[in-house]
Amino acid sequence: MGRKVTVRDKILETAATLFYNQGYVQTGINQIVAEADIAIGSLYKHFKSKNDLLYSYLEQEDIRFFTTVEEKLAQKKTPREKLMAYIDFRIDQQKTGNCTGCHFIKINAEIGRTDDEVQQLVQKHKEKQKNLIKKLVTEIQPSKNNFDAKQLTEMIFTMIEGGVVAATINGNTRSLEDIKKLADKLI
Amino acid sequence: MGRKVTVRDKILETAATLFYNQGYVQTGINQIVAEADIAIGSLYKHFKSKNDLLYSYLEQEDIRFFTTVEEKLAQKKTPREKLMAYIDFRIDQQKTGNCTGCHFIKINAEIGRTDDEVQQLVQKHKEKQKNLIKKLVTEIQPSKNNFDAKQLTEMIFTMIEGGVVAATINGNTRSLEDIKKLADKLI
DNA sequence: GTCTATATTCCGATAGAC
DNA sequence: GTCTATCGGAATATAGAC
């Protein structure tokens, strides 16, 4: 415990990287143990199952996401700048991670709605993203076009989601960058 | 061969259902054999590997998608009606399939860009979808807002993609139905 | 915390008899 | 086309010694 990197953190971080890059099902416990360079006994001491590791992974990524977003947005003044910074963050995320997509969209596609715990974690994460956009869009008080805040939220949220998926498919962020400009023009 | 349902078709159809509903990795050869009610020897006579089955599955779904779309759009007169019919088709697809999402987005999330053949099949499918939207949007000759055909294509395409992902996550098509109205208002 | 051994089950794939 | 047997490996998870 304390300030040191715990064994638990090492396991979770290794699992997160592997789950994200090669998928949950395709990642084996043995591989996590080997790459984290820990004992298998330690893994099952900290996590009761591979499924439990998955839940912790998703919870961690949700916290990491919104912590970083908060930091980025705090550096901007106007809600419009904050919205653009949010989209920039999504773009940078993809650029940094070799356009591997969104942790939650990926796990949803892989596990689907067969696991209630996973479904809830994914739904909550996406709801929080949408609420953030809604808050910023409302603060901007849009008047350029004929759409109200709720409609603009729906459009911008789904465009970003679609743009992230496109990044995963094409291996680049061109679509997301277009969407940033289009959202700016739309609102 | 001929008009009868061949063993190959039975294998492919069973594999398609299982790949779609429970994922490619999680679906075993033995399960396909059992549910298709055929011999494992027959499977490996028609498909040289599980990977080969995956390629055939994606090719089949691409053909099935655009064949159906063509039929639906042929029943409409104006490009605007055709665009709305296209979105309706995407909505109906999700409603029929318990909101399990898009075959190609799912397999992309699962396999990612690690398999070149899969990546190309997914990219081509999405490019064809986007080109169809572009064709219809261009024919509508939009003038309502300040966006040109290319921009509107990007917006509508990514909104639909995001809407399909939202359907997968939430288990309903509310977002997609909103997007249909928004696209209609936008163009 | 480390290590190894192991139980059990499943995987994709092949071979051969009918 | 059917069937069964089997190969080699990997999966999750547990147990015990240090």
Side-chain angles (χ1 to χ4, degrees):
Chain A
M1 298 286 180
R3 74 203 76 180
K4 256 176 64 182
V5 174
T6 64
V7 172
R8 189 182 186 279
D9 288 340
K10 223 160 70 169
I11 296 168
L12 194 49
E13 211 55 48
T14 306
T17 304
L18 291 173
F19 288 167
Y20 184 52
N21 287 303
Q22 63 181 38
Y24 172 71
V25 182
Q26 274 163 301
T27 300
I29 295 287
N30 292 335
Q31 190 185 7
I32 297 171
V33 166
E35 297 201 11
D37 200 31
I38 50 94
I40 189 171
S42 299
L43 190 147
Y44 280 101
K45 197 198 153 200
H46 291 288
F47 305 93
K48 66 177 178 190
S49 68
K50 190 187 172 187
N51 234 265
D52 191 41
L53 198 44
L54 173 60
Y55 304 147
S56 299
Y57 154 64
L58 293 176
E59 283 163 7
Q60 178 187 247
E61 293 306 326
D62 179 73
I63 293 168
R64 177 147 47 198
F65 183 94
F66 285 104
T67 304
T68 311
V69 164
E70 228 174 300
E71 286 170 9
K72 301 271 183 191
L73 298 207
Q75 295 169 10
K76 303 292 176 182
K77 293 175 195 170
T78 70
R80 179 179 294 270
E81 284 172 336
K82 285 177 195 283
L83 180 61
M84 292 300 115
Y86 175 74
I87 301 178
D88 275 332
F89 169 61
R90 299 295 298 264
I91 293 171
D92 290 345
Q93 253 194 327
Q94 292 311 308
K95 280 185 175 169
T96 304
N98 192 30
C99 294
T100 312
C102 162
H103 295 271
F104 295 82
I105 292 177
K106 279 200 78 175
I107 206 68
N108 176 70
E110 201 178 353
I111 310 289
R113 301 194 307 281
T114 59
D115 186 312
D116 286 345
E117 181 87 11
V118 169
Q119 182 184 2
Q120 280 192 10
L121 289 167
V122 173
Q123 282 181 357
K124 280 182 185 170
H125 182 75
K126 288 301 170 189
E127 203 184 332
K128 280 162 73 178
Q129 286 183 342
K130 197 170 179 176
N131 281 340
L132 174 63
I133 293 172
K134 189 177 183 180
K135 180 177 164 288
L136 296 175
V137 166
T138 306
E139 284 176 10
I140 293 174
Q141 292 189 318
S143 58
K144 252 193 247 178
N145 289 282
N146 298 320
F147 298 102
D148 61 29
K150 198 188 167 198
Q151 290 172 324
L152 287 166
T153 301
E154 188 70 37
M155 291 169 86
I156 292 170
F157 173 74
T158 51
M159 280 198 292
I160 293 173
E161 295 293 282
V164 169
V165 169
T168 319
I169 289 171
N170 299 317
N172 63 60
T173 56
R174 279 174 218 145
S175 183
L176 267 177
E177 283 157 32
D178 286 344
I179 284 156
K180 186 194 168 189
K181 292 175 199 158
L182 293 168
D184 192 35
K185 200 181 172 189
L186 190 61
I187 205 167
Chain B
M1 296 290 182
R3 73 203 74 179
K4 258 178 60 184
V5 174
T6 64
V7 171
R8 190 182 186 277
D9 288 340
K10 222 158 73 171
I11 297 168
L12 193 49
E13 210 56 49
T14 306
T17 305
L18 291 172
F19 288 168
Y20 184 53
N21 287 302
Q22 63 182 35
Y24 172 72
V25 181
Q26 273 164 301
T27 300
I29 294 287
N30 292 335
Q31 191 184 7
I32 298 171
V33 166
E35 298 203 10
D37 199 32
I38 51 94
I40 188 170
S42 297
L43 190 149
Y44 280 102
K45 197 199 154 199
H46 289 289
F47 304 94
K48 65 178 182 190
S49 68
K50 189 186 173 188
N51 235 265
D52 190 41
L53 198 44
L54 173 60
Y55 304 148
S56 298
Y57 154 63
L58 293 175
E59 283 162 7
Q60 178 188 246
E61 293 305 328
D62 179 73
I63 293 169
R64 178 148 44 198
F65 182 94
F66 285 103
T67 303
T68 312
V69 164
E70 227 173 300
E71 287 169 11
K72 301 269 183 195
L73 299 207
Q75 295 169 10
K76 303 293 175 183
K77 291 175 195 170
T78 70
R80 180 180 293 270
E81 284 171 337
K82 285 175 195 283
L83 180 62
M84 292 301 115
Y86 174 75
I87 301 178
D88 275 331
F89 169 61
R90 299 296 298 264
I91 293 171
D92 291 344
Q93 254 195 327
Q94 292 310 309
K95 280 185 175 168
T96 304
N98 193 29
C99 293
T100 311
C102 162
H103 295 271
F104 295 82
I105 292 177
K106 280 199 78 175
I107 206 69
N108 175 70
E110 201 178 356
I111 310 288
R113 299 194 307 280
T114 58
D115 187 312
D116 287 344
E117 180 87 11
V118 170
Q119 182 184 3
Q120 280 192 8
L121 288 167
V122 174
Q123 282 182 357
K124 281 182 185 171
H125 182 75
K126 288 301 170 191
E127 205 185 330
K128 281 161 74 179
Q129 286 184 341
K130 196 168 179 177
N131 281 340
L132 174 63
I133 293 171
K134 190 177 183 181
K135 180 178 164 287
L136 296 175
V137 166
T138 305
E139 284 175 11
I140 294 174
Q141 291 189 320
S143 58
K144 252 194 248 176
N145 289 282
N146 298 321
F147 298 103
D148 61 29
K150 199 188 165 197
Q151 290 172 324
L152 287 167
T153 301
E154 188 71 37
M155 293 168 85
I156 292 171
F157 174 74
T158 52
M159 279 197 292
I160 293 172
E161 294 292 284
V164 169
V165 169
T168 319
I169 289 172
N170 298 318
N172 63 60
T173 55
R174 278 172 219 147
S175 184
L176 267 178
E177 283 158 32
D178 286 344
I179 284 156
K180 186 193 168 188
K181 291 175 199 156
L182 292 168
D184 192 35
K185 198 180 173 191
L186 190 60
I187 205 167

